[in-house]
Amino acid sequence: MERNELTEKEAVRQIERTDKERRDFMQHHYKRDIRDPHGFDVTLNIERISIEKCVDVVLTAYRAKFDLLPG
């Protein structure tokens, strides 16, 4: 709101429009519904986990998926 000098109502509208555009893009190009959790290997709540810890989790998941873990 501050960065774009928007009212709360305008910011909500912009977020809703952007979310819809992203959903439509994924549906059109990849035939995927981004609201379906089965389309993701990992989901993280960045309000509860630091970005640094999220990076660690994503890297570990990537390495596990592609069998790149030591051992």
Side-chain angles (χ1 to χ4, degrees), residues 2-66:
E2 290 175 15
R3 182 178 65 209
N4 294 321
E5 297 179 358
L6 301 173
T7 65
E8 183 175 351
K9 189 175 181 179
E10 290 169 331
V12 168
R13 253 194 318 252
Q14 183 174 339
I15 290 167
E16 289 171 347
R17 185 179 62 246
T18 300
D19 285 349
K20 182 181 182 328
E21 289 171 356
R22 289 176 179 163
R23 282 192 310 270
D24 292 348
F25 178 89
M26 292 299 290
Q27 183 63 44
H28 178 78
H29 292 286
Y30 300 103
K31 310 297 185 243
R32 298 280 184 200
D33 182 352
I34 62 172
R35 295 169 293 190
D36 179 2
H38 293 99
F40 299 92
D41 292 324
V42 175
T43 58
L44 301 168
N45 182 344
I46 62 171
E47 290 183 7
R48 296 179 174 254
I49 305 171
S50 71
I51 294 296
E52 293 79 13
K53 293 292 183 187
C54 287
V55 169
D56 292 341
V57 169
V58 170
L59 285 173
T60 300
Y62 175 86
R63 290 176 181 133
K65 181 175 183 173
F66 295 103

